[in-house]
Every structure is written in C-alpha cells, then in structure tokens.
Amino acid sequence: MLNIEEIATHPFDDQKPGTSGLRKKTRVFETNKNYLENFIQSIFDVIDASGKTLVLGGDGRYFNNQAIQVILKMAAANGVSQMLVGQNGILSTPAVSNIIRKYETDGGIILSASHNPGGPDGDFGIKFNIPNGGPAPEIITNAIFEATKDIQFYKIVNIPDVDISQLTTFSIGDMLVNVIDPVTDYVELMRQIFDFDAISALFKSGFKMTYDALNAVTGPYAVEIFENQLGAPRGTVVNSTPLPDFGGKHPDPNLTYAKELVELMNSEDSPDFGAASDGDGDRNMVLGKKFFVNPSDSIAILAANASLVKGYAKGLLGVARSMPTSSALDKVAEKLKIPVYETPTGWKFFGSLMDADMITLCGEESFGAGSNHVREKDGIWSILFWLNILAQKQQSVADIVQNHWRQFGRNYYSRHDYEGIEVDKAQQVMTHLLTLLPSLEGQKIGNYEVLKADEFSYIDPVNGERAEHQGIRVLFKDGSRLIFRLSGTGTQGATLRIYIEKYEPDFVKQNRDSQEALKELIEIAKEISQLQEITCRDRPTVIT
Ligand code: VG1
Ligand code: CO
C-alpha cells in the first residue's frame, strides 16, 4: 500500500473553464502553489474517479511533463484503476478522443492551450473529455468550477517521478499505468476512413506537399502518415519535432502565424498543396498554389465531396457548423437534402448531435473540421480528406474551390480579431451593441438593410440544455451577416471577434479579394459597434 497524503489547500476563484477547458498563462500554473492540483482534484471529485480508467496526454509544451507526473500521482491517490498515458506525455487532442472511444474509457485529460504560444511566458491549459471522447459539456465544467471554489485538500501519493519514456505497463499502488504509443491507434483509424492507396499513387505521380507541424504535437503523426505510410518524400513534413516552446513559433495555423508556409505557397515554385495544424493537432489550414482555402469553404467542400471518400460513401446523416461559421455549408446541405444545425462556438455542442446520429460532419470557421470518427475537430483528418479528394478529382486546390463557388455561390468571409483589449472596454462594446439591437431591425445602412438583429442562444435538440449569450448577430436582407463575440480562450485582456460574411451567387464576381468585397460591411461593423471610439483601436490585430 502506498501512503496517500491529503494536502491542505486554498481555493482560487479564477478556475472557470472557457470555450476549450481551463486556459491560463503558464506562470499562473507554475507560481501558484496547488493551482494545477486544485483543478485536477476538482475533476476527480466531480467524476468520482475511484475505479475509473482515464486517458492522459498533452501537446508536449513546457510544463506538460511536470503536470503529467502530478496527475498520475493524484490519480493513484484518488483510486483511479488505470491510466492510459501517451509515451513521453504526448497525445494530440483527436488522438485522445479516439483512444477514449476505442478502449471505452471513462474519459481523458488533455494538457494543452491549443493554438496559444507555449513556454514559461506562454500559455498552458487542461481539457477534460467525457466517455464519448468529446469535451465535457457545460453541466460538467460548471460543476468542476464550483468544486474549485470550495476545495479544502487534494490527494496525492508521495513517490518519485515515474518513467513514461518506454512502452510498458507498471503500477502505482493499485493503479495500473499503461504507456501507449501516441500514433498507432490514430493511424489505424485514418486507414479505415481514407483510401491510402489512392493518396500514395497521388504522391507517386509527383504531387508535392508541404506540411508544417509548427514544432507542435502533430509532427510524429504527420511523419508516420504522410512520409512513412503514404510515401511522400522525406522533408514533406517540416518543423516535425514537438518542442516545449514550439521553437518560439505561435502554433496557430492561419495566414498570420504560419507565415513561412504561406510564403512558400505564394512562391513561384510552390508545392501543389500546403497544410498546417495547431499546438494540439485539432486545427487545420489548407493552401493550394498561391491559394488560401477559407476554413468555412473547406468544411462545405468536404461535405460536398464526402461521397468520394470511403468512410463517408454511404452519405452524411446531417451536418453542423458553429453560428459564426459562414453559411457555405448550408448551401451544400440544401443540395444534399440533409439537415444542417447551427450551434454555439466550441466543439462540445457537436458531440451530442453526433451521439444521437443526427450529424456526420461539422466544423467551425476557426480552422476546425471533423466528423463522427471522434468527438473533437481533427487537423490531420481534414488534410487527409483534402488529399483523398485531390487524388480522386485530379484537379488543383484552386480549381476545386472555384468550381465549388460556381456551383453553390461564394460566401465571402473574414474574421477580424481585436486582441488584448481592456476587459471593461470590450464589455462596453458588447453592451452598447445589445442596447442598439432593437433599433437596428429594418434600418438601411449604406447598401445593406438589416433584417434581424439579436443575441444568439441555443437549445440542444437532444438534451434540451440551454446556452445563452453566444454572440450578437446582425443579419441583412441579402444574406450578409455581421457577428460580434468575445473570445473564451484568451489569457490576456479580452479578444473581440468580428465575423463578416457576404454571399455572391454570380460567378463573374467571385474572384475579388475578400477584404475588398467585404469592405462596406467591415465599415458598418466598426460604425455600429463604436469600436474605435470605445477601444481606441482602428484596426484588428489578426485578420483571417
Ligand atoms: C476559439 C475559436 C473556436 C474554437 C476554440 C477552441 O474560441 O473561435 O471556434 O472552438 O477556439 O479551439 P474563442 O472562444 O477564443 O473564439 V482550440 O483549437 O482549443 O483547439
Ligand atoms: Co487546438
């Protein structure tokens, strides 16, 4: 028997999980004694960890290993019967989701702040996933938050650190620790869904790709899948070693932070296809030669071409998108005669629709797409989906996207982020908009006429749970939309996101620069929100 210690502790009042778990500056975890322990004990108390089997892994960022040791020792002290932990503490978010489902465990803990930078001055985070493999719903995250407010002590066993660098099984007291290969199960799942032979043949024919893992978790997955199994030449995957500080990179696959890849794809001798993923491997960015695929378009294109892919040849049950995501997907659903659902931002809302067999495929404008193969968005899956379509269609990325627009119309789309605004100023913008809403309806602003203006709320059609205050929407008569939302993943000040969308059915008008096409709507957004007056900012920090 091991000696279980009960260590007295004091609550913190700021451990409320956001859009995607608890996310804070690494410093907050490192310098506040028991900050990590309190949150983990609260999870264990809420789920009654005794006798449970859990998955544990992270994206390898600074503090990952330290946290894993603490969590293993606390799990043993809380009576957990088995932990499946990724070798060297590595597991991508979609890989954890798969392992939870495949081995029918009671859930999992993912250590990551996703696309936020890592290192001592960066961010760290903890996500808790439930037995369906998806992020815990609000009912559970709220219970965890409540538990953090009353915590008195946590339990831990006092032993030296354990070795998780080898694929073995060992015990901590009565708890079994199974160190698993992070990549194998995931590769097997991908093989079931996609035609690896067709994609191999594509690479053999000279098709060139660059995949930038941004020194984050997907490196080992990408090297195994793209280079070892699909035969893409060595060097196809760049920045392939997960590093604690991501080599100083910001592991966010977008036009601003994946700069090297974007420059390469815009150069004269660019590869045919470029792709990247984020810190924990659930996001994806896809590029063709001198061509950026907007994530909202990407989801619509995957849905429209799903019948070309083995795993979805039987058709889609339905699709879903987060509210701010463009309605390009709706046009595809209409043609396929399948339902489309509009959910609040964050992956947890898709899970219950998938569990009820209401949807097969879903996505968000924030570089996230996925399907019911797991209960998380999945970066490498999205990229394999594109490769499978490219192998079947034998067309360039640009041709596929432009043909899609021609058939369905183009939804010009952009997101403007105002990061690091003072919290009360950001709140002031939202409050101002809320009071303005009733007077906006029916108003003509420039060339646009407001049809409806409201605050989005959602009732889960499966379990009836309500989610309120999910963003302000201004809907125009011609189908254009402006959405205003405060981010729930930032760790410094507030981030205000403005989402701008305009539908263009006429294909001769579909090849404009999107910022140009959206110019008037962008001005309207600034004007009605009084953004400049309230925050003194005259331009966004990130445009995607
Ligand atoms: C952002 C995105 C959202 C995404 C969330 C988690 O949230 O907008 O679509 O689900 O990040 O993504 P917010 O609240 O900051 O807008 V991540 O890759 O944790 O993987
Ligand atoms: Co992520």
Side-chain angles (χ1 to χ4, degrees), residues 19-20 23 114-115 127 278 280 282-283 345-347 364-366 377 415 485 487-489 497 499:
T19 318
S20 195
R23 203 170 287 187
S114 188
H115 51 285
K127 304 193 273 188
D278 70 333
D280 62 329
D282 54 1
R283 295 187 177 207
T345 297
W347 211 259
E364 295 189 291
E365 49 66 41
S366 52
K377 54 186 180 275
R415 184 175 104 181
R485 228 192 111 246
S487 155
T489 59
R497 305 201 195 285
Y499 311 78

Side-chain angles (χ1 to χ4, degrees), residues 118 238 278 361 365 394 416 435 465:
V238 298
D278 70 333
L361 211 134
E365 49 66 41
Q394 301 284 325
H416 287 202
T435 41
E465 276 167 33

Side-chain angles (χ1 to χ4, degrees), residues 52 77 126 144 167 230 285 428 432 450 471:
K52 300 258 151 88
I126 304 171
I144 295 169
L167 299 175
L230 293 168
M285 176 171 69
Q428 209 180 319
H432 161 73
V450 179

Side-chain angles (χ1 to χ4, degrees), residues 250 252-260 262 285 541-544:
H250 189 153
D252 195 352
N254 62 31
L255 295 175
T256 306
Y257 297 125
K259 220 168 62 216
E260 286 163 30
V262 174
M285 176 171 69
T541 38
V542 177
I543 295 180
T544 44

